[in-house]
Amino acid sequence: MPLFLPLMGIVLLITLYIYSGDKALHLSEIRSAAMQTMSDKQQCLSGQTESIIRDLRFLAELPAVAPLLGSPCQETQDHLTEALVSFSNAKAMYDQIRYLDTSGMEVLRINHEPGNRAKPVPPQQLQDKSERYYFSSTIQLDSSEIYVSPFDLNIENGSIELPLKPMLRFARKITENDTVLGIAVLNFLGKPLLDRFTGHGIPHHHHMMLLNKDGYYLTGAPGGNNWGFMFPGTERDITFSMHHPEEWKTIRTQNEGQFLSSRGLFTFKRLYAFEQLDGAVTDDYYWIMTSMIPAQELKGMLPSRTGYLLLVSFMGCLIFVGTLAFTSRRVQKRHAHIELEHLAEQLQEANTQLHENQRKLQALLSNLPGMAYRCLNTPEWPMEFVSSGCVQLTGYEPRELLKDTGALNYSELIVREDRDWVWQQVQEELANHRQFSIRYRITNKTGDLLHVHEQGCGVYDEAGQLVALEGFIMDITGQVLSQQAIRESEVRFRSLFEGAPDAIFLAEAESGIIIGANRKASKLTGRPLGEMLGEHVTSLHPPDTEEDTSNKFLAQRTEAERFETSVPTEFQVIHRDGRRIPVEVITQYMKLDDKVLMYGIFRDITKRKEAEAEIMAKTRLLETVMSTVPAYMYMKNRDLTYRFANTYALRHFHMTPEQVNGISDEDLFPAEMARRFQIEDRNIISRAQPVINKEEELQLPDGTIIPVLTNKVPLINARGETDGIVCVSIDRSEQKKAEKRNMELQNQLQNSQKLETLGTLAGGIAHEFNNILTPVIGFTEIALDSVPDDSTTRKDLETVLSGAKRAKKLVSQMLTFSRKEPPQLIRQKLQPVIRNAVHFLKPSIPRTVRLEVQIAEFNDTVTCDANQIQQVILNLCTNAWQAMEKQPKGILSITLEKIQADEIAPSSAQTPEPDRAYARMSIDDTGTGMAKEELYRIFDPFYTTKEVGKGTGLGLPVVYGIIQAHKGWIDVQSVKDRGTTVYVYLPLDT
Amino acid sequence: MKKILIIDDEPDILLLLQRVLESAGYSVRTAENGRQAEEILQKNHFHVVITDIIMPEVEGMELIFYLKKHAPQTRIIGISGGGKLSPDSYLTIALSAGADTVLQKPFDNAELLEKVKQLL
């Protein structure tokens, strides 16, 4: 036995050596896994913070921000607010986005509650933040620096917000031309960041902790007691150093490291989350990432000692037997000794090999997601061995499937339809001595259908007889299903791509090279797909629009990169035949592995463009017509409020389009007029019948009432309902004036015709009359000579004589009309002419009538016949004093004045020449006056209001004729029993 | 005694003028138209001829021309009641044709006597 003990000792030593090597190997794997986790986490967190800083820069440098803080304009603010709301929604990780002015007052703030839509804070709820640390710190920084707050919990109204809201604030100054305008602040929700740190891809025995530099837990504290520094003096005020004082000494002082202590394996690394970023304030700003694998867990992960002990026992037995044999053959001692040494060596080697293989196989079998087996080659597939993976694969324990202990053959798991096929496949491959590799379906213990992949081969004995099958069965259900899903999605994509109503191009974002296009794209460009592939996207557009195209393209790309998709933008596409086709393009970006692809959806908008152009032309025509037409045009809604009025109407009502919108007739017209319009409008709406050519009146804001001709038409919409009314009113004032003027001219013409007729008549009969009158007058005079003075016959004869003399005068006046010669027109002042007439007139005026003469002095002359003008004055004055003859008192005024055309009342009988001055003679009496009917006829020849024997009825017609020949006119105003004024207008010489 | 010839187609006027002039002491003859007057004038001399301007047969105007030619010493007074033209214009024409003076019908007896007296 002396050999046994040393041998045994050697075996023991070797085993110990192997064991310790194995253990070290495991430990080193665990250590490096921990380091790797640390490094992964670092990248993950740094990536997150970098993206925040970029967002902050973007927000601070938005062009619309400077005007917002400088000179705010509502429109800019609205646009910016809208953009920021979208931004906040898209990012979904900023609790608040804010702009503060230099006084610390919030100017714009977008809040975003997780799970809700972002919304802007109303202006009245904006707060003064000048006292907050982030404002005072940021405002002192350089403009390129970025302020990052400590990672802490949000405090709302002085107390910690519940549930806890971890928060990081980022801020940066906003400047324009070296002037500080304010700061931009981002509140970043820290929870997702912490979740990322503790979640995903961490082996379950790793305990992850994030500490601030004072050793307070940010996450991963035992019992959830994180954020201790926020709860000073309470039982939550807990630090890492309280739990691990010894370990904290190391972690606190080193940048990174890994060590084993009695409590486990610690791995730590300082995270300078912002050190890579230009301008970020990072001095001394770091967190400590720590992972711990507790000692207990670590132990379970290292190789077991029991296996090695068994091995040693086994070896011991073997050596013991060998030693016995050795002792019995001492003769061959030396020889055997050598052999034994050799054997020991081999043993050691074999042992090492065996152990290694065993370990590897074990590791393989227990780690592989599948089941290794050995079975007999019969259709029932009786199992001789199954690995522990069978539980996971089939749900059955190994013993349930083994042929000696279980009641179940493996074939029963195979789906019935697949069984024969599996058998045939396997037999076929076996016949050719090949490996078989098949896919089929099985049902597991819980009845789920699984797809499996089996790979295996025949096991043959030395004689080449098949004794069993060995192989491996793996669950590929997930893979099959996902392949199926991929195939389906590919089909879907293809049909969408090809069946889309629009042309779609696919290109590499980096190079702009087209790598795909659908049939519609070929149709749009007129080029076969093969020709377009490999070309640059700019080849789709006309070369002369290149600058415009690339500008739009860049804008779309920026937008698409930021918001994933761009807004539709109009481009032109050039067709193979040279046509330019207007298109609307939406660009989208997507990442496929490492490549960024963009695809553009091109919609042919030729038809739309044409329709738009047509509508535009029609609209422009309509607008032009409406803004230029000299008529009141307006539109009313169904409730009779105004919706629209054209330029003409707006100008006359002194309103703007905004003012007119929504008002009603009551706001524009007197109550009665408004009521009338509305009754009419309601009728039109209820009957859907227009009113055409209605004469009515409108009152303008200055009170002027104008006659209008109105058309009102119901406005019928596409559904056949009456939406409102369209009205057009034409101002008829001018037309009415013209009508009046026409009437006047007609009157004048009639008068002239009457006078002409009279003249002709007078010329014809004057001769006869005079011949008759001559003997009447002559003989009466003779007779009077022979009659005594006191005789009654004398009285009678005198009456005859005066009658005859009147007849003589009448004839003489009639002849004035027949006189065809023009008046003797001379440029002269009117004043002497009038004075002369007054001189002649005075003796004949009764004493009861007072004569008042007012002659204005002016140097202007009138081209006139003095005799005729005097006759006019005499005639008019005679009429005047005769009208006052029966009154106890009367006043006859004769006035001359100079008057400008625009001072003459519009109601005057004739419209004066503009810018001309006139002499106006007025003969005014306080006599009997005339009624309107009489007034109309005063210029008619032989019309007289005087008693029989007093007037000839030719005085005024003579006046009329004379003044007309002088290019003047006459106005007469008269009030019954009050008196008459006659105005004579004569144009002054220019 | 001064002799006066009166020519007018109106008998009443002839009668009147004759009465007025005779009672004023003139010797008066009358003619109803221009032709009759010419016949009288061929055989007799008159100091004054008073003639209407518009008459049938020989017009007063023609008579004035005749007188100017055959009896240039005879004074002429044109009288007229007017016509299609104004009476003034007839009388104006008469004046320019050679009448010494004119008188518009109707006129006062005194007016007539005054004119005749002036001419003689």
Side-chain angles (χ1 to χ4, degrees), chain A residues 763 767 770-771 774 778-779 781 815, chain B residues 13 16 81-83 87 105-106 108-109:
Chain A
H767 176 248
N770 284 339
N771 280 342
T774 307
F779 283 117
E781 283 176 349
L815 281 171
Chain B
I13 291 177
L16 172 68
K105 287 183 197 170
D108 286 348
N109 297 344

Side-chain angles (χ1 to χ4, degrees), chain A residues 638-654:
Chain A
R638 230 188 123 76
D639 63 0
L640 302 186
T641 55
Y642 282 78
R643 191 193 299 177
F644 162 85
N646 74 342
T647 314
Y648 186 87
L650 291 173
R651 196 171 65 235
H652 283 80
F653 282 89
H654 310 299

